[in-house]
Amino acid sequence: MNYFKRDFSETKSLVLGSVEASPQRPRSWTIPYRAIAPLAIAVDTALIFATCILSGVAYHLRMVNTYGNLEQFVGFAAVVAALFVMLAKSRNLYDLSELLNLKAQIRKVTLKWVIIFAFLTAVAFSMKIGDSFSRGATIAFAISGLVALIGMRIVWRTLLADGLAVRRFSSRRIALIAEQSAAVDSGILETLTRHGLQLAQYFVLPTDRSESRRRKDVIAQAIASLRGSNVEEIVISADLDHWPEVNGLLSELRVLPLPVNLVPAGPLSDLFKLSSHTIGETVTIELQHGPRTLSQRLIKRTADIVLASAALLAFLPLLLVAAIAIKLDSRGSIIFRQWRRGFNGRPFQILKFRTMTVQEDGDTVIQARQNDSRVTRVGNILRRTSIDELPQLLNVLQGTMSLVGPRPHAMAHDSQFDKVVGNYAYRHHVKPGLTGWAQVNGYRGETRTVEDIEHRVKLDLWYIDNWTLGTDLKIIVMTVAELARGKNAY
């Protein structure tokens, strides 16, 4: 990398001309930059299969003197490998910059590994298939697999750092033709080299449109220099505001049998950082994407169904006791239904145990306050322990809610808050939750001031933008601790 910085300092004052790259020391091996991620995925997959099969066989040989069910080991390894690679790839853990960050890799790999085994354990429990798997072999696999993945991260860190130091990822020789305004940014050179491109020649185009003659001279010099050379590709860096003029000049490069690629510069270049797809022959740019990919929605929905089903079974006796207590304590229905807004603002009826003598669900809804006279004796206990919220597990199974997400407010409050908080409606980008990031960070219960709802919305939006399955599990654990404290519960 030092060479390119030095080379840039030499060309910074140039208006016309090219710079030849200095010779590099021989490389004993090279690897294309784009092959790093697929190779890392393949290695992780192989490690997961190997550790699963070996740990299963070793455990069974030691305990029962048999090899065990090899087909079961392979099937289990395939499920774990698919989940791990999908989670890791969704968080860009196979990018070169991420693989070089050893501490972050160890932390994130460990978290995702634990999440996968916790998720599969919950699935096995809910489907009552846990007895089909050896607990000892599974534990041995969980430990050995994690050790192998972390060990491989150490190896990747060493190999990649060494490879970058001696440019072992430089596999294609390129010529860069950049406008002077783009040329003064040495980040272009660094980006090209980090992506496996070796700068062989560098030409600078004057930015001033009045110097059309000098711009033509640069292109002519580039053609003369590149004809017959060992350059494999031409990279153009230009401000898109100047594209009509630059495109006219670059048409002369067609005499060279080389691929030509554009690196956009200037304000409009941000458009190229967005995702795009085609509708027929029309290219569309995704200016705003949904908060969840298909795979993320599938993971979250599966976790919701599994955990909500398990919670309903576990809390069934408590639910029955609460229902009987409500019926004996005061007149009225056991379940309180109130209209709220869910994903994309769709209305749904939230389910709660009735805790008040009133059942407000109109244009005016008064939030519960401390020592509220409307709360019944049993309702006071249910609200303090949040048992009144447990019927919302049925909302989760119905699909109108999730276990974790922004807490839904009464429609009357939605209309009120939407007028005072500009980005309040963004909370409807995901399903509302039984608990949420705002609730475990002290914003549970009544919102007395505009600042309260602003802080709650800020935390909700952070959750939407930074969601992972690990975050959901963390919030669930923090919710249990928050319930034990009983703060703002009335």
Side-chain angles (χ1 to χ4, degrees), residues 38-66:
L39 182 59
I41 291 174
V43 171
D44 278 356
T45 302
L47 283 176
I48 292 172
F49 271 89
T51 53
C52 182
I53 295 171
L54 291 176
S55 59
V57 170
Y59 179 81
H60 282 82
L61 282 176
R62 181 176 179 81
M63 300 304 295
V64 294
N65 200 30
T66 66

Side-chain angles (χ1 to χ4, degrees), residues 2 21 28 59 80 92 240 297 303 353 413 431 433 441 452-453 481:
N2 291 335
S28 56
Y59 179 81
V80 174
N92 302 317
L240 294 183
R297 293 198 301 272
F353 279 130
H413 298 154
K431 291 180 183 178
N441 280 279
D452 286 341
I453 188 60

Side-chain angles (χ1 to χ4, degrees), residues 444-487:
R444 176 187 176 202
E446 183 184 6
T447 50
R448 299 182 181 88
T449 66
V450 174
E451 287 74 20
D452 286 341
I453 188 60
E454 286 178 341
H455 285 300
R456 179 179 289 187
V457 169
K458 182 178 180 181
L459 291 168
D460 286 337
L461 297 187
W462 180 92
Y463 167 80
I464 293 172
D465 292 336
N466 297 276
W467 175 85
T468 65
L469 184 58
T471 303
D472 275 3
L473 295 178
K474 177 182 177 181
I475 291 173
I476 292 173
V477 173
M478 292 176 68
T479 299
V480 176
E482 189 71 17
L483 292 176
R485 293 172 56 194
K487 185 179 179 181

Side-chain angles (χ1 to χ4, degrees), residues 21-32:
S22 59
Q24 301 179 31
R25 56 178 167 174
R27 298 187 296 270
S28 56
W29 54 267
T30 59
I31 180 173

Side-chain angles (χ1 to χ4, degrees), residues 379-432:
N380 185 53
I381 298 173
L382 297 180
R383 296 179 73 90
R384 286 189 177 279
T385 57
S386 290
I387 294 174
D388 64 317
E389 308 285 0
L390 289 180
Q392 289 163 44
L393 291 169
L394 295 174
N395 285 117
V396 175
L397 292 179
Q398 290 171 357
T400 54
M401 290 182 65
S402 178
L403 284 176
V404 181
R407 281 295 294 164
H409 300 130
M411 284 193 173
H413 298 154
D414 258 349
S415 301
Q416 175 188 346
F417 297 151
D418 194 28
K419 294 176 182 177
V420 296
V421 181
N423 51 4
Y424 178 83
Y426 293 171
R427 301 170 77 252
H428 297 144
H429 282 198
V430 296
K431 291 180 183 178

Side-chain angles (χ1 to χ4, degrees), residues 106-157:
I106 293 175
R107 175 173 53 82
K108 293 177 181 178
V109 165
T110 302
L111 177 61
K112 282 166 177 53
W113 193 251
V114 170
I115 288 172
I116 289 171
F117 275 86
F119 172 70
L120 293 177
T121 300
V123 171
F125 173 78
S126 64
M127 298 180 66
K128 298 181 179 180
I129 58 174
D131 293 340
S132 303
F133 296 87
S134 168
R135 292 182 179 87
T138 301
I139 293 173
F141 169 44
I143 296 173
S144 61
L146 180 58
V147 170
L149 290 171
I150 291 176
M152 195 63 227
R153 263 56 193 174
I154 298 174
V155 173
W156 278 120
R157 173 67 177 81

